[in-house]
Short mmCIF file of all heavy atoms in Angstrom, two decimals:
data_model
loop_
_atom_site.label_atom_id
_atom_site.label_comp_id
_atom_site.label_asym_id
_atom_site.label_seq_id
_atom_site.Cartn_x
_atom_site.Cartn_y
_atom_site.Cartn_z
N MET A 1 74.02 49.09 -46.67
CA MET A 1 74.73 48.43 -45.60
C MET A 1 74.56 46.92 -45.66
O MET A 1 73.47 46.44 -45.91
CB MET A 1 74.22 48.95 -44.23
CG MET A 1 74.97 48.40 -43.05
SD MET A 1 74.32 49.22 -41.55
CE MET A 1 74.20 47.79 -40.49
N GLU A 2 75.65 46.24 -45.50
CA GLU A 2 75.62 44.76 -45.56
C GLU A 2 75.06 44.14 -44.30
O GLU A 2 75.32 44.59 -43.20
CB GLU A 2 77.07 44.26 -45.77
CG GLU A 2 77.15 42.77 -45.95
CD GLU A 2 78.60 42.29 -46.07
OE1 GLU A 2 79.45 43.14 -46.47
OE2 GLU A 2 78.85 41.14 -45.76
N THR A 3 74.16 43.14 -44.45
CA THR A 3 73.60 42.45 -43.32
C THR A 3 74.42 41.21 -43.05
O THR A 3 74.62 40.41 -43.93
CB THR A 3 72.14 42.04 -43.65
OG1 THR A 3 71.40 43.20 -43.94
CG2 THR A 3 71.54 41.31 -42.44
N VAL A 4 74.90 41.10 -41.82
CA VAL A 4 75.67 39.98 -41.38
C VAL A 4 74.76 39.00 -40.61
O VAL A 4 74.10 39.44 -39.63
CB VAL A 4 76.89 40.42 -40.47
CG1 VAL A 4 77.68 39.19 -40.04
CG2 VAL A 4 77.76 41.38 -41.26
N THR A 5 74.74 37.75 -41.06
CA THR A 5 73.90 36.77 -40.37
C THR A 5 74.76 35.87 -39.57
O THR A 5 75.82 35.41 -40.03
CB THR A 5 73.11 35.88 -41.40
OG1 THR A 5 72.31 36.78 -42.21
CG2 THR A 5 72.17 34.97 -40.67
N THR A 6 74.43 35.65 -38.33
CA THR A 6 75.23 34.84 -37.40
C THR A 6 74.83 33.39 -37.53
O THR A 6 73.89 33.01 -38.23
CB THR A 6 75.03 35.28 -35.97
OG1 THR A 6 73.66 35.08 -35.61
CG2 THR A 6 75.39 36.77 -35.81
N TRP A 7 75.49 32.55 -36.78
CA TRP A 7 75.26 31.11 -36.79
C TRP A 7 73.82 30.71 -36.43
O TRP A 7 73.29 29.72 -36.90
CB TRP A 7 76.24 30.37 -35.83
CG TRP A 7 76.14 30.84 -34.40
CD1 TRP A 7 76.78 31.86 -33.83
CD2 TRP A 7 75.23 30.32 -33.41
NE1 TRP A 7 76.37 32.04 -32.51
CE2 TRP A 7 75.45 31.10 -32.24
CE3 TRP A 7 74.34 29.24 -33.36
CZ2 TRP A 7 74.75 30.83 -31.05
CZ3 TRP A 7 73.63 29.04 -32.19
CH2 TRP A 7 73.89 29.81 -31.04
N ALA A 8 73.16 31.52 -35.63
CA ALA A 8 71.76 31.18 -35.21
C ALA A 8 70.71 31.72 -36.16
O ALA A 8 69.54 31.56 -35.95
CB ALA A 8 71.54 31.69 -33.78
N GLY A 9 71.21 32.42 -37.20
CA GLY A 9 70.24 32.97 -38.17
C GLY A 9 69.75 34.36 -37.83
O GLY A 9 68.96 34.95 -38.57
N PHE A 10 70.26 34.96 -36.72
CA PHE A 10 69.94 36.33 -36.38
C PHE A 10 70.93 37.24 -37.02
O PHE A 10 72.08 36.87 -37.27
CB PHE A 10 69.99 36.53 -34.87
CG PHE A 10 69.02 35.78 -34.09
CD1 PHE A 10 69.35 34.61 -33.40
CD2 PHE A 10 67.67 36.24 -34.02
CE1 PHE A 10 68.44 33.93 -32.71
CE2 PHE A 10 66.76 35.52 -33.29
CZ PHE A 10 67.11 34.35 -32.60
N THR A 11 70.51 38.45 -37.34
CA THR A 11 71.47 39.43 -37.82
C THR A 11 72.28 39.96 -36.67
O THR A 11 71.86 39.86 -35.50
CB THR A 11 70.78 40.60 -38.55
OG1 THR A 11 70.04 41.34 -37.57
CG2 THR A 11 69.88 40.13 -39.69
N LEU A 12 73.42 40.50 -36.97
CA LEU A 12 74.26 41.09 -35.93
C LEU A 12 73.52 42.17 -35.15
O LEU A 12 73.60 42.28 -33.97
CB LEU A 12 75.54 41.64 -36.58
CG LEU A 12 76.77 41.74 -35.71
CD1 LEU A 12 77.04 40.43 -34.97
CD2 LEU A 12 78.00 42.18 -36.53
N ASP A 13 72.77 43.00 -35.92
CA ASP A 13 72.00 44.09 -35.27
C ASP A 13 70.95 43.54 -34.30
O ASP A 13 70.76 44.11 -33.22
CB ASP A 13 71.29 44.96 -36.31
CG ASP A 13 72.24 45.91 -37.03
OD1 ASP A 13 73.34 46.14 -36.46
OD2 ASP A 13 71.91 46.37 -38.12
N GLU A 14 70.30 42.41 -34.68
CA GLU A 14 69.32 41.84 -33.80
C GLU A 14 69.97 41.29 -32.52
O GLU A 14 69.43 41.50 -31.41
CB GLU A 14 68.60 40.66 -34.51
CG GLU A 14 67.60 41.14 -35.58
CD GLU A 14 67.13 39.99 -36.40
OE1 GLU A 14 67.78 38.93 -36.58
OE2 GLU A 14 65.98 40.18 -36.97
N LEU A 15 71.13 40.71 -32.65
CA LEU A 15 71.84 40.21 -31.45
C LEU A 15 72.28 41.36 -30.54
O LEU A 15 72.13 41.27 -29.34
CB LEU A 15 73.07 39.38 -31.86
CG LEU A 15 72.79 38.01 -32.40
CD1 LEU A 15 74.08 37.27 -32.79
CD2 LEU A 15 72.04 37.14 -31.37
N ILE A 16 72.77 42.44 -31.14
CA ILE A 16 73.18 43.58 -30.36
C ILE A 16 72.00 44.23 -29.65
O ILE A 16 72.07 44.56 -28.48
CB ILE A 16 73.93 44.62 -31.25
CG1 ILE A 16 75.31 44.05 -31.67
CG2 ILE A 16 74.14 45.92 -30.54
CD1 ILE A 16 76.01 44.86 -32.69
N ASP A 17 70.88 44.33 -30.35
CA ASP A 17 69.66 44.90 -29.75
C ASP A 17 69.19 44.03 -28.57
O ASP A 17 68.87 44.55 -27.50
CB ASP A 17 68.51 44.98 -30.77
CG ASP A 17 68.69 46.11 -31.76
OD1 ASP A 17 69.57 46.99 -31.49
OD2 ASP A 17 67.97 46.11 -32.76
N SER A 18 69.26 42.73 -28.72
CA SER A 18 68.83 41.78 -27.68
C SER A 18 69.77 41.95 -26.48
O SER A 18 69.30 41.97 -25.33
CB SER A 18 68.88 40.36 -28.25
OG SER A 18 68.56 39.46 -27.18
N LEU A 19 71.03 42.06 -26.76
CA LEU A 19 72.00 42.20 -25.65
C LEU A 19 71.81 43.50 -24.94
O LEU A 19 71.83 43.55 -23.68
CB LEU A 19 73.45 42.13 -26.22
CG LEU A 19 74.57 42.24 -25.26
CD1 LEU A 19 74.52 41.09 -24.23
CD2 LEU A 19 75.94 42.20 -25.98
N GLU A 20 71.56 44.56 -25.68
CA GLU A 20 71.31 45.89 -25.07
C GLU A 20 70.07 45.85 -24.16
O GLU A 20 70.10 46.35 -23.04
CB GLU A 20 71.06 46.96 -26.16
CG GLU A 20 72.30 47.67 -26.57
CD GLU A 20 71.98 48.80 -27.58
OE1 GLU A 20 70.98 48.69 -28.32
OE2 GLU A 20 72.72 49.77 -27.60
N ASN A 21 69.01 45.22 -24.65
CA ASN A 21 67.78 45.14 -23.87
C ASN A 21 67.98 44.29 -22.55
O ASN A 21 67.46 44.66 -21.51
CB ASN A 21 66.67 44.49 -24.70
CG ASN A 21 66.19 45.45 -25.74
OD1 ASN A 21 66.31 46.66 -25.65
ND2 ASN A 21 65.60 44.93 -26.81
N THR A 22 68.75 43.20 -22.69
CA THR A 22 69.05 42.40 -21.52
C THR A 22 69.87 43.19 -20.49
O THR A 22 69.52 43.15 -19.31
CB THR A 22 69.84 41.13 -21.96
OG1 THR A 22 69.09 40.41 -22.90
CG2 THR A 22 70.17 40.24 -20.77
N LEU A 23 70.89 43.88 -20.94
CA LEU A 23 71.68 44.68 -20.03
C LEU A 23 70.91 45.81 -19.37
O LEU A 23 71.01 46.04 -18.18
CB LEU A 23 72.88 45.31 -20.76
CG LEU A 23 73.98 44.33 -21.16
CD1 LEU A 23 75.00 45.00 -22.03
CD2 LEU A 23 74.66 43.74 -19.91
N ARG A 24 70.01 46.42 -20.15
CA ARG A 24 69.15 47.51 -19.62
C ARG A 24 68.25 46.95 -18.54
O ARG A 24 68.08 47.54 -17.48
CB ARG A 24 68.36 48.14 -20.79
CG ARG A 24 67.69 49.44 -20.41
CD ARG A 24 67.06 50.15 -21.58
NE ARG A 24 68.08 50.57 -22.53
CZ ARG A 24 68.14 50.18 -23.79
NH1 ARG A 24 67.25 49.32 -24.28
NH2 ARG A 24 69.09 50.62 -24.56
N ALA A 25 67.67 45.79 -18.80
CA ALA A 25 66.80 45.20 -17.78
C ALA A 25 67.55 44.81 -16.51
O ALA A 25 67.07 45.01 -15.42
CB ALA A 25 66.12 43.91 -18.38
N LYS A 26 68.77 44.31 -16.68
CA LYS A 26 69.59 43.97 -15.51
C LYS A 26 69.96 45.19 -14.73
O LYS A 26 69.93 45.12 -13.48
CB LYS A 26 70.85 43.18 -15.96
CG LYS A 26 70.60 41.72 -16.33
CD LYS A 26 71.90 41.04 -16.66
CE LYS A 26 71.68 39.63 -17.11
NZ LYS A 26 71.23 38.74 -16.06
N MET A 27 70.28 46.26 -15.41
CA MET A 27 70.68 47.52 -14.70
C MET A 27 69.48 48.05 -13.94
O MET A 27 69.63 48.50 -12.77
CB MET A 27 71.23 48.53 -15.66
CG MET A 27 72.61 48.22 -16.13
SD MET A 27 73.39 49.55 -17.05
CE MET A 27 72.27 49.72 -18.46
N LEU A 28 68.27 48.01 -14.56
CA LEU A 28 67.08 48.47 -13.87
C LEU A 28 66.77 47.62 -12.64
O LEU A 28 66.42 48.17 -11.60
CB LEU A 28 65.87 48.48 -14.80
CG LEU A 28 65.84 49.58 -15.82
CD1 LEU A 28 64.70 49.38 -16.81
CD2 LEU A 28 65.72 50.95 -15.16
N ALA A 29 66.97 46.33 -12.76
CA ALA A 29 66.68 45.42 -11.64
C ALA A 29 67.67 45.71 -10.50
O ALA A 29 67.31 45.73 -9.34
CB ALA A 29 66.80 43.97 -12.09
N LEU A 30 68.93 45.93 -10.84
CA LEU A 30 69.97 46.24 -9.86
C LEU A 30 69.64 47.54 -9.17
O LEU A 30 69.75 47.67 -7.91
CB LEU A 30 71.36 46.30 -10.45
CG LEU A 30 72.04 44.96 -10.69
CD1 LEU A 30 73.40 45.15 -11.39
CD2 LEU A 30 72.31 44.24 -9.36
N THR A 31 69.28 48.55 -9.94
CA THR A 31 68.94 49.89 -9.37
C THR A 31 67.75 49.76 -8.39
O THR A 31 67.77 50.33 -7.33
CB THR A 31 68.59 50.87 -10.53
OG1 THR A 31 69.72 50.92 -11.39
CG2 THR A 31 68.32 52.22 -9.97
N PHE A 32 66.76 48.97 -8.79
CA PHE A 32 65.56 48.79 -7.96
C PHE A 32 65.97 48.09 -6.66
O PHE A 32 65.57 48.48 -5.57
CB PHE A 32 64.50 48.00 -8.72
CG PHE A 32 63.25 47.82 -7.88
CD1 PHE A 32 62.40 48.89 -7.58
CD2 PHE A 32 62.89 46.58 -7.42
CE1 PHE A 32 61.29 48.73 -6.86
CE2 PHE A 32 61.72 46.38 -6.64
CZ PHE A 32 60.92 47.49 -6.37
N HIS A 33 66.83 47.08 -6.80
CA HIS A 33 67.31 46.33 -5.59
C HIS A 33 68.07 47.26 -4.70
O HIS A 33 67.89 47.22 -3.46
CB HIS A 33 68.17 45.15 -6.06
CG HIS A 33 68.70 44.36 -4.91
ND1 HIS A 33 67.92 43.54 -4.11
CD2 HIS A 33 69.95 44.25 -4.38
CE1 HIS A 33 68.65 43.00 -3.18
NE2 HIS A 33 69.87 43.40 -3.30
N ASP A 34 68.96 48.08 -5.25
CA ASP A 34 69.71 49.06 -4.47
C ASP A 34 68.79 50.00 -3.74
O ASP A 34 69.04 50.32 -2.54
CB ASP A 34 70.69 49.83 -5.34
CG ASP A 34 71.91 49.00 -5.82
OD1 ASP A 34 72.11 47.88 -5.26
OD2 ASP A 34 72.57 49.45 -6.75
N MET A 35 67.78 50.47 -4.42
CA MET A 35 66.82 51.40 -3.78
C MET A 35 66.13 50.73 -2.59
O MET A 35 65.95 51.36 -1.55
CB MET A 35 65.78 51.91 -4.79
CG MET A 35 66.33 52.98 -5.72
SD MET A 35 65.21 53.41 -7.10
CE MET A 35 63.59 53.21 -6.43
N GLN A 36 65.75 49.45 -2.79
CA GLN A 36 65.12 48.74 -1.70
C GLN A 36 66.04 48.56 -0.49
O GLN A 36 65.65 48.71 0.63
CB GLN A 36 64.70 47.34 -2.19
CG GLN A 36 63.47 47.31 -3.03
CD GLN A 36 63.03 45.89 -3.41
OE1 GLN A 36 63.88 45.11 -3.76
NE2 GLN A 36 61.76 45.61 -3.30
N GLN A 37 67.33 48.30 -0.80
CA GLN A 37 68.31 48.10 0.26
C GLN A 37 68.51 49.41 1.05
O GLN A 37 68.55 49.41 2.28
CB GLN A 37 69.68 47.66 -0.33
CG GLN A 37 69.67 46.31 -0.91
CD GLN A 37 69.54 45.21 0.15
OE1 GLN A 37 68.46 44.74 0.44
NE2 GLN A 37 70.66 44.83 0.74
N HIS A 38 68.63 50.55 0.30
CA HIS A 38 68.82 51.86 0.95
C HIS A 38 67.56 52.19 1.81
O HIS A 38 67.70 52.75 2.88
CB HIS A 38 69.05 52.96 -0.07
CG HIS A 38 70.43 52.86 -0.67
ND1 HIS A 38 71.57 52.86 0.09
CD2 HIS A 38 70.83 52.77 -1.96
CE1 HIS A 38 72.61 52.81 -0.74
NE2 HIS A 38 72.22 52.73 -1.98
N HIS A 39 66.39 51.92 1.26
CA HIS A 39 65.18 52.22 1.97
C HIS A 39 65.08 51.40 3.26
O HIS A 39 64.79 51.92 4.32
CB HIS A 39 63.93 51.91 1.09
CG HIS A 39 62.65 52.09 1.79
ND1 HIS A 39 62.15 53.38 2.05
CD2 HIS A 39 61.74 51.21 2.28
CE1 HIS A 39 61.01 53.24 2.68
NE2 HIS A 39 60.69 51.96 2.87
N ARG A 40 65.45 50.12 3.22
CA ARG A 40 65.43 49.25 4.37
C ARG A 40 66.43 49.76 5.43
O ARG A 40 66.16 49.78 6.58
CB ARG A 40 65.75 47.79 3.97
CG ARG A 40 65.69 46.84 5.11
CD ARG A 40 64.24 46.69 5.63
NE ARG A 40 64.27 45.93 6.91
CZ ARG A 40 63.56 46.31 7.98
NH1 ARG A 40 62.85 47.41 8.01
NH2 ARG A 40 63.63 45.57 9.09
N ARG A 41 67.66 50.13 4.95
CA ARG A 41 68.66 50.64 5.89
C ARG A 41 68.21 51.90 6.55
O ARG A 41 68.36 52.05 7.76
CB ARG A 41 69.95 50.86 5.08
CG ARG A 41 71.18 50.87 5.96
CD ARG A 41 72.46 50.84 5.10
NE ARG A 41 72.61 49.67 4.30
CZ ARG A 41 72.83 49.67 2.97
NH1 ARG A 41 72.95 50.82 2.32
NH2 ARG A 41 72.93 48.56 2.32
N ALA A 42 67.58 52.79 5.76
CA ALA A 42 67.07 54.04 6.34
C ALA A 42 65.96 53.77 7.34
O ALA A 42 65.90 54.40 8.41
CB ALA A 42 66.52 54.95 5.22
N GLN A 43 65.14 52.79 7.07
CA GLN A 43 64.07 52.40 7.98
C GLN A 43 64.65 51.89 9.32
O GLN A 43 64.16 52.24 10.39
CB GLN A 43 63.20 51.32 7.32
CG GLN A 43 61.94 50.98 8.10
CD GLN A 43 60.93 52.11 8.07
OE1 GLN A 43 60.84 52.88 7.08
NE2 GLN A 43 60.18 52.28 9.14
N LEU A 44 65.70 51.07 9.23
CA LEU A 44 66.29 50.50 10.46
C LEU A 44 66.90 51.64 11.31
O LEU A 44 66.81 51.63 12.50
CB LEU A 44 67.38 49.48 10.08
CG LEU A 44 66.83 48.18 9.55
CD1 LEU A 44 68.04 47.35 9.00
CD2 LEU A 44 66.02 47.41 10.56
N ILE A 45 67.59 52.57 10.61
CA ILE A 45 68.21 53.72 11.33
C ILE A 45 67.14 54.55 12.01
O ILE A 45 67.24 54.97 13.14
CB ILE A 45 69.03 54.56 10.35
CG1 ILE A 45 70.29 53.82 9.90
CG2 ILE A 45 69.45 55.89 10.99
CD1 ILE A 45 71.04 54.44 8.74
N ARG A 46 66.03 54.83 11.27
CA ARG A 46 64.91 55.59 11.78
C ARG A 46 64.34 54.90 13.04
O ARG A 46 64.09 55.55 14.07
CB ARG A 46 63.85 55.74 10.72
CG ARG A 46 62.86 56.80 10.96
CD ARG A 46 61.84 56.98 9.81
NE ARG A 46 62.47 57.38 8.56
CZ ARG A 46 62.53 56.66 7.43
NH1 ARG A 46 61.96 55.53 7.36
NH2 ARG A 46 63.19 57.13 6.38
N GLU A 47 64.16 53.61 12.98
CA GLU A 47 63.63 52.82 14.11
C GLU A 47 64.60 52.92 15.30
O GLU A 47 64.20 53.04 16.46
CB GLU A 47 63.37 51.39 13.73
CG GLU A 47 62.18 51.20 12.81
CD GLU A 47 62.12 49.83 12.18
OE1 GLU A 47 62.90 48.97 12.57
OE2 GLU A 47 61.25 49.66 11.27
N GLU A 48 65.87 52.78 15.04
CA GLU A 48 66.89 52.83 16.08
C GLU A 48 66.88 54.15 16.77
O GLU A 48 66.89 54.29 18.01
CB GLU A 48 68.27 52.49 15.50
CG GLU A 48 69.43 52.61 16.47
CD GLU A 48 69.39 51.52 17.55
OE1 GLU A 48 68.77 50.47 17.35
OE2 GLU A 48 70.05 51.75 18.58
N LEU A 49 66.86 55.25 15.98
CA LEU A 49 66.89 56.60 16.55
C LEU A 49 65.62 56.83 17.36
O LEU A 49 65.67 57.45 18.43
CB LEU A 49 66.98 57.64 15.41
CG LEU A 49 68.33 57.79 14.74
CD1 LEU A 49 68.25 58.72 13.56
CD2 LEU A 49 69.35 58.25 15.76
N HIS A 50 64.48 56.39 16.85
CA HIS A 50 63.21 56.55 17.55
C HIS A 50 63.24 55.83 18.91
O HIS A 50 62.82 56.41 19.90
CB HIS A 50 62.06 55.99 16.68
CG HIS A 50 60.70 56.30 17.25
ND1 HIS A 50 60.21 57.58 17.26
CD2 HIS A 50 59.79 55.50 17.77
CE1 HIS A 50 58.99 57.53 17.83
NE2 HIS A 50 58.72 56.30 18.13
N SER A 51 63.77 54.65 18.95
CA SER A 51 63.84 53.90 20.19
C SER A 51 64.75 54.56 21.22
O SER A 51 64.52 54.49 22.38
CB SER A 51 64.21 52.41 19.98
OG SER A 51 65.56 52.38 19.55
N ARG A 52 65.85 55.18 20.72
CA ARG A 52 66.78 55.84 21.63
C ARG A 52 66.22 57.10 22.20
O ARG A 52 66.60 57.57 23.30
CB ARG A 52 68.11 56.17 20.91
CG ARG A 52 68.94 54.97 20.65
CD ARG A 52 70.24 55.36 20.05
NE ARG A 52 71.01 54.15 19.62
CZ ARG A 52 72.29 54.25 19.30
NH1 ARG A 52 72.96 55.39 19.33
NH2 ARG A 52 72.89 53.14 18.91
N CYS A 53 65.31 57.74 21.46
CA CYS A 53 64.73 59.05 21.90
C CYS A 53 63.62 58.87 22.92
O CYS A 53 63.17 59.84 23.48
CB CYS A 53 64.22 59.86 20.69
SG CYS A 53 65.56 60.43 19.68
N GLN A 54 63.11 57.65 23.11
CA GLN A 54 62.03 57.46 24.04
C GLN A 54 62.51 57.30 25.46
O GLN A 54 63.59 56.85 25.75
CB GLN A 54 61.22 56.20 23.65
CG GLN A 54 60.39 56.49 22.37
CD GLN A 54 59.59 55.25 21.98
OE1 GLN A 54 59.90 54.12 22.35
NE2 GLN A 54 58.55 55.47 21.17
#
């Protein structure tokens, strides 16, 4: 298989791997942020329901 070197001296495979890792990290961060948001929303609903039941 032919190795293609880009302008920065990285191979095409190295650039693709780097891009994949960056995207994976961003998706995990977004997922974690979404989970935090859902947890906070659930907490607020729980507190609201609790205060109404008293």
